[in-house]
Every structure is written in structure tokens, then in C-alpha cells.
Amino acid sequence: LQDIRNTVGNIPMEWYQDFPHVGYNLDGKKIYKPIRNKDELDMFLEKMENPDYWRTVQDKMTGADIKLTDEQVDLVHRLQRGQFGDVHFDPYEPAVDFFTHEVMIHPVTNRPADKRSFIPSLIEKEKVSKLVHAIKMGWIKPRKPKDDTPTYYDLWAHEDPNSILGRHKMHVPAPKMKLPGHEESYNPPPEYLLSEEEKLAWEQQEPAERKLNFVPQQYRCLRAVPAYSRFIHERFERCLDLYLCPRQRKMRVRASPTPQQPPLARAARGRFHTGLCSLLSSLSPGPASPCPRPAGSDDCTVRFWEVCTARCMKTLPVGGVVKSVAWNPNPTICLVAICVEQSVLLVNPCLGDKLLYGATDQLLESYVVPEEERVQPVQWATATVEEHSKGVRLVVQHSKAVKQVTWHGKGDYFASVVSDNSNMQVLIHQTSKRWSQNPFRKSKGLVQCVLFHPIRPYFFVATQRYVRVYNLLKQELTKKLMTNCKWVSSMAIHPGGDNIICGSYDSKLAWFDLDLSTRPYQLLRHHKKALRSVAFHKHYPLFASGSDDGTVIVCHGMVYNDLLQNPLLVPVKVLKGHAITLDLGVLDVLFHPTQPWVFSSGADGTVRLYA
């Protein structure tokens, strides 16, 4: 079909050679030439690389490149050889004598020409005159211009026009200032005046923790009151409140502040540790879930507790402060990784199934020392006889203090985080080969925690403000998540692997949908103080967060199989019970692998189980 976009007519296209357009459309708008910024080198490369270059021609009417079809190429070849354009035309077919070759006396037809063949049609003249009159009167518009302005509809047109702010049902008024009280009087009552001890305590408090932002003073009369030194500062804060106030009402579900006292909480509320009970480990899944779970503390011990009876099965002195504990997620291996100062201890607690922990020892003893010694960033050492009797099997010596350890889902690899600012912060270790490596060449910031993806070969590294996702197979950075937090404290990944949550020291919990965006899908601000730990349940749609305000908040986090449906996040319960000690509350939270139970450890030296 013929391209009729250019209606310039049958004129030489050389006239438009120095113009950016090649003609005009039916509306009188310019048809611009396509961008052709190829030089001689580009033309030569295209000639060498494009196999269809020999059959590509330029349309002078539109300026576009057109690839000739096989039929058009055959037509060009026939015309170049001087043949007819139509393939089916036979120039040598016998002629048909429609009339006799003999000249006759009378012609076949001798009718005179019609008068209408040389006189303009009166009927067409009448139709054209009617159309011209209709156009002049405005009854017919030849080419009505298209209106590109969007059409808006008034949704509140039928409501009561006299109602105040009837069209803005979700209007939020500006915040009102707090009315002055007796303490702001120039001559307040004596009970509102501060003593010397109260003034000293007021000066030592943080500005955000003070009940009053000024010290009440007494004057004999109003004329003796001096100018208020914080007047401009408070006016400026008032202006910030006015223009930074959110004017959109959001329906937010508030969690009930009533704490839940579960049946098993009474059995698990004893003071188990003499120091800060810092971190809980993951529980062994599957049939090993009734087995003891370990808890590390500042009293230089790791204690193993039986979940059903809350009885301490074993106490392991480690000779240092325990920073992190992690149970091997492989159900066929009974092994616990413990961070103690500059070492990671791999401990077989010898509890539960005898065949299980016996097979674990056999697996560790089957290691064969390689012939060539390899240079490693850490030192692997076999436990001494005394340490072996306590359960310690291997000791991984680091150069600096280790603050976190986490296992891979298959149970052979584990990662450790070192308190350092160099590129040696994160190390990945392989237990079966006793081999360690440093996956990063450069330091991207102070690493807070790391995680392995439960399904894919991804590795999550959380710094103070970002979470970087690395592909271990391709050895490259996959994406960088913006947490919108000042300082990330903890991180947990959903069992499906497509969502993660991050807790921060500025009381925020960020939920990320990895398929949706690199920014948080939702920021939850349910806690009043810093978040220390977050955790997902492996089977139930639940996640929990522990904070320095002494509470554990359990939320419902439903992730749907439909990719078009966003996750549903609803706070369910606030669990209280931990006493705040040294301004620290809940230090770690963890879910049971099969039951809807949540464990929490606090600075008060207790481990609590909520069911």
C-alpha cells in the first residue's frame, strides 16, 4: 500500500533538502525527517554487518529506510533486463481480431458525443454550493481540531454545597499549639518551681526527653519579665509544623497495646543468665525441633534449653562474651556456631538424637588435610582435648572481634561479620573443606549483618543505610536497596525469598518487595525506641520485631502468589514482659520452626517464650 502520510504532492523532494521536514499532513502540521546521524564509518559498518543492506532503499517522500521484499527485488531485476514488470504477461501470445480487418462502408458506431462531456455538471455545482454555504454558516467544520485537554468530573457535585469542606472529606486541619499552663506564668505557684537538684537533672537530660523545654521562673511583676530567648526558635518550629504537617488522612491499623500472657510464658520467665542475654539462635527444623535451643550471654556462657519443659540441659563456658549464636539449619547435622570475641566456635552439643550428633562427629572427622597449604584470611584449628569434652569441635580464629554468624540453607557454608572497617569485614567459610575466603575487594561501609538467600545464590549485606544484594555465582552486585533509615540494626528474609525486612535504631521497620522496587514497600513505626532484631516465621505469615522499649510486636505479613497483589501487613499483638535494663530492652527475637511460638531474649537476663 502507498504511504499517504506525506501529502505534499508530486513535487521535487529536493526542495526540502535543507529543511528538517519533508512535507505536511492533512492537518497542516510538519512531517519531520527521521534522525539520520550516521557518518561514513557507520554506513560502512552497517554495510558490512547488515545482511539486508543491499535491499534497503530510502523513501524520498518520508525519509524512512524500506527493506524491499523478494517480489520487489524480482521486479527491479526484470526492469533492469528490459523485460515486462508483470511476470504473467506474455508478449508473444496470438492477437485476437475483435473487429474484421476488412474496411467496411459504415462504421460500427457513429453516435455524437454527449453534451455533459464538455459542459460542467449543474448537479455537482449545486452540491458544492450547499457545502460552501454550510461551512460559512458554521454548520460543517471541515477538520475539527482534537482537544488534548483531559476531562475532569466533579465527584461531589451532587453533595450538600453548604457543608464545611464538603468536597474534602479527608481534610486534616493544621496542628494547634499547646495552651500555656501554670508553669509558664511569670509568677507560678511554688510547686511548679524547680529545685537545684531538679534543675541539674533537667540540664543533664536530652532535649527530646525533657517534659518542659524551659525552666519555670518567678518575677515580682510583669514589667520585670525579660525577652524570651527561644522566641524565634519556637516560631520557626511552628512554621515547620504548619507546612510539614501531612494533609492526607491515612487509615492505619493500630496494634492493641494489651500484652499477651501465653501459657508457656510462666514456665520460661526465670532468670537464666547472670549477664545480658544477648542473642538466640535458630532452632533445628523438622524432627529436631523439640531438642534444646541455645542462648548466649554476657556471662561468658552458652546454655541449651529444652523447649517443652524450659529446663537447662547444658551450660557451656566459652571464656568470653557471646555476640552471636546460630544453629545449623540442616536437620541431619547437629552443629552450633558461636561468636566469642575473635573466634567462631563450632560446637556439637551432643543433645537429642544420639545417631544425629554421632553422625555429625563422623562427618567432621572425615576431613582430609590437603597436600598444599592454602593462604586463608582466618585460621582453622581443631579443638583441644579439654574443649572437645565440652563439645567444641572446631575453632575459626579471626583477626578481629566477630559480631555475627549466619548459616547457608544447606548447612555447609556460614558467613561471619568482623568489627572492622576494611574489606575483611565479611568472610564466607566452608565447613567440609575448612576453607575461608573474602568475597569483597573493597569496603562499601560499616557492615551490620549479612544473610544468605534461602533458595537462590544471593547474598545480602546490610550496611548502615543500604542493603546490597550480590549474586554469588556471577560474582556481581544485583541491586542496592535504599532503607530510608539512619542506621540498620538487623535483617530477616521471607521464606519465599522475595521479601525482606530491616530493623533500624531509629525505631523503623522497613519491608522490601524485591520484585517491586529498591525502596521500602512500607515503613512501620510501631516501636518507640530502637529495634534490635526482626524475624520471619518459616511457615506462618508472621513476622516479629524486638525493641529497646521492652516489647515484641508480632505482625501478620501475608505474601500472595499473585504477583499483581501487594503484601498485606497488619500488626497483631504487642508482647510485654521484659524489664528495661541499662536502657536496653529486647535484644533478639526468633520464631519456632513449626509452631506459632516466638522466643525473645532481653537485657534483663531472661529468655521468654510466647505461644
Side-chain angles (χ1 to χ4, degrees):
L1 297 176
Q2 185 181 1
D3 192 352
I4 58 172
R5 289 178 299 171
N6 191 355
T7 56
V8 68
N10 188 13
I11 63 171
M13 297 306 296
E14 289 80 7
W15 294 356
Y16 293 95
Q17 187 173 0
D18 298 332
F19 293 96
H21 58 283
V22 293
Y24 301 88
N25 58 12
L26 295 177
D27 296 330
K29 296 181 180 180
K30 295 179 180 180
I31 302 176
Y32 290 94
K33 299 176 183 177
I35 300 175
R36 304 180 67 88
N37 52 1
K38 297 180 181 179
D39 53 6
E40 296 294 333
L41 182 59
D42 293 334
M43 296 290 290
F44 176 74
L45 293 177
E46 185 179 4
K47 181 178 180 180
M48 294 293 103
E49 296 175 358
N50 188 6
D52 297 326
Y53 179 81
W54 62 275
R55 61 164 64 191
T56 304
V57 297
Q58 182 184 1
D59 187 3
K60 293 184 179 180
M61 294 292 289
T62 59
D65 292 335
I66 299 176
K67 177 184 174 182
L68 299 179
T69 61
D70 294 337
E71 292 81 5
Q72 293 173 338
V73 172
D74 294 339
L75 176 61
V76 172
H77 289 168
R78 288 195 302 271
L79 294 178
Q80 288 178 345
R81 292 194 296 266
Q83 299 177 358
F84 291 95
D86 190 1
V87 183
H88 306 289
F89 179 75
D90 185 9
Y92 304 108
E93 64 180 1
V96 178
D97 233 353
F98 295 100
F99 300 99
T100 178
H101 62 281
E102 298 177 357
V103 180
M104 303 180 68
I105 302 175
H106 301 287
V108 177
T109 173
N110 196 16
R111 187 172 63 86
D114 292 330
K115 187 178 180 180
R116 63 175 178 268
S117 61
F118 54 88
I119 293 180
S121 174
L122 297 178
I123 298 176
E124 292 181 358
K125 179 182 178 182
E126 185 178 357
K127 287 184 179 181
V128 170
S129 62
K130 288 182 178 180
L131 292 175
V132 171
H133 179 65
I135 291 173
K136 288 182 179 180
M137 297 298 294
W139 300 336
I140 298 178
K141 295 182 179 179
R143 296 194 181 275
K144 186 178 180 181
K146 294 182 180 180
D147 190 9
D148 296 334
T149 58
T151 304
Y152 299 100
Y153 300 94
D154 191 358
L155 299 178
W156 300 276
H158 301 289
E159 292 189 4
D160 183 14
N162 299 323
S163 61
I164 300 175
L165 297 175
R167 297 181 61 183
H168 305 281
K169 294 299 182 184
M170 306 303 285
H171 173 73
V172 178
K176 295 183 179 180
M177 292 187 64
K178 181 182 177 182
L179 297 177
H182 294 295
E183 64 275 1
E184 297 190 43
S185 173
Y186 73 94
N187 188 14
E191 58 268 17
Y192 287 94
L193 298 176
L194 302 181
S195 61
E196 294 298 331
E197 293 80 5
E198 292 175 341
K199 285 183 180 179
L200 184 61
W202 183 87
E203 292 174 355
Q204 293 177 353
Q205 282 182 334
E206 294 291 335
E209 297 178 356
R210 296 170 179 170
K211 293 184 179 180
L212 298 176
N213 56 356
F214 63 94
V215 178
Q217 297 181 4
Q218 189 176 22
Y219 301 94
R220 58 182 180 81
C221 62
L222 190 59
R223 294 178 60 184
V225 178
Y228 185 40
S229 59
R230 290 179 48 85
F231 175 75
I232 297 179
H233 181 75
E234 290 188 356
R235 292 297 94 192
F236 177 71
E237 289 186 347
R238 174 61 180 170
C239 293
L240 291 182
D241 291 340
L242 289 177
Y243 93 90
L244 290 179
C245 174
R247 297 307 174 94
Q248 180 182 3
R249 192 184 303 272
K250 294 184 178 180
M251 305 304 293
R252 181 175 295 175
V253 181
R254 292 291 181 182
S256 174
T258 305
Q260 180 182 11
Q261 296 295 337
L264 292 182
R266 184 177 301 276
R269 278 173 57 179
R271 180 170 291 276
F272 299 147
H273 294 271
T274 58
L276 297 181
C277 186
S278 57
L279 290 166
L280 296 174
S281 77
S282 57
L283 290 165
S284 180
S289 58
C291 287
R293 58 181 175 83
S297 171
D298 283 0
D299 59 359
C300 304
T301 62
V302 175
R303 308 195 183 199
F304 294 84
W305 305 92
E306 190 177 26
V307 176
C308 299
T309 61
R311 184 167 64 97
C312 182
M313 303 291 293
K314 185 175 182 178
T315 301
L316 175 64
V318 293
V321 176
V322 179
K323 292 295 184 182
S324 177
V325 186
W327 196 295
N328 195 311
N330 192 341
T332 62
I333 299 176
C334 184
L335 206 61
V336 181
I338 304 171
C339 293
V340 182
E341 294 180 351
Q342 297 184 5
S343 303
V344 175
L345 307 181
L346 298 183
V347 178
N348 185 353
C350 298
L351 296 172
D353 191 355
K354 187 175 181 180
L355 296 176
L356 185 64
Y357 62 76
T360 303
D361 285 341
Q362 293 179 2
L363 180 63
L364 294 177
E365 292 172 358
S366 62
Y367 168 72
V368 178
V369 181
E371 298 178 357
E372 296 182 2
E373 186 177 356
R374 297 174 291 184
V375 179
Q376 301 188 49
V378 298
Q379 294 181 359
W380 288 75
T382 308
T384 61
V385 178
E386 182 183 357
E387 291 175 341
H388 192 278
S389 62
K390 296 179 181 179
V392 181
R393 298 296 182 259
L394 293 173
V395 179
V396 185
Q397 293 285 347
H398 292 68
S399 59
K400 294 191 178 181
V402 186
K403 60 182 179 180
Q404 191 223 350
V405 62
T406 180
W407 286 93
H408 187 265
K410 294 184 179 180
D412 190 19
Y413 291 89
F414 68 92
S416 60
V417 180
V418 180
S419 299
D420 191 6
N421 200 19
S422 64
N423 61 337
M424 301 289 291
Q425 295 184 80
V426 181
L427 299 174
I428 297 179
H429 317 273
Q430 188 176 6
T431 309
S432 60
K433 297 182 180 180
R434 300 186 187 180
W435 165 250
S436 303
Q437 57 183 335
N438 177 20
F440 304 113
R441 295 179 180 177
K442 296 182 180 179
S443 174
K444 297 292 185 180
L446 190 60
V447 178
Q448 303 299 312
C449 55
V450 295
L451 269 180
F452 286 100
H453 195 282
I455 304 171
R456 303 183 184 92
Y458 291 157
F459 190 58
F460 296 85
V461 179
T463 55
Q464 291 183 357
R465 309 191 73 170
Y466 304 101
V467 176
R468 291 176 171 86
V469 185
Y470 294 93
N471 191 323
L472 296 178
L473 288 181
K474 298 181 180 179
Q475 298 181 1
E476 64 181 10
L477 178 66
T478 302
K479 61 179 61 178
K480 181 180 177 182
L481 306 180
M482 315 292 181
T483 60
N484 292 351
C485 302
K486 293 183 180 179
W487 197 308
V488 176
S489 62
S490 54
M491 178 174 53
I493 186 167
H494 191 270
D498 293 333
N499 298 269
I500 69 168
I501 54 177
C502 294
S504 66
Y505 291 118
D506 53 349
S507 309
K508 297 178 184 178
L509 187 146
W511 177 293
F512 287 93
D513 190 341
L514 299 180
D515 296 333
L516 185 64
S517 173
T518 57
R519 297 190 177 274
Y521 162 67
Q522 197 164 345
L523 274 176
L524 306 179
R525 298 179 178 88
H526 297 145
H527 288 284
K528 298 179 181 178
K529 291 187 178 181
L531 270 75
R532 294 284 175 177
S533 178
V534 291
F536 270 110
H537 199 286
K538 291 187 177 181
H539 300 291
Y540 291 95
L542 298 173
F543 67 94
S545 58
S547 171
D548 280 345
D549 57 7
T551 63
V552 176
I553 295 182
V554 180
C555 299
H556 173 84
M558 187 63 186
V559 178
Y560 299 95
N561 294 328
D562 187 5
L563 298 178
L564 299 178
Q565 193 167 1
N566 293 329
L568 176 64
L569 310 180
V570 180
V572 176
K573 205 69 178 177
V574 178
L575 307 176
K576 295 183 179 180
H578 286 283
I580 299 177
T581 306
L582 301 177
D583 291 333
L584 298 176
V586 180
L587 298 179
D588 199 5
V589 293
L590 192 73
F591 278 102
H592 192 278
T594 57
Q595 300 296 329
W597 301 346
V598 62
F599 301 90
S600 66
S601 65
D604 55 355
T606 62
V607 179
R608 296 174 184 261
L609 166 62
Y610 300 94

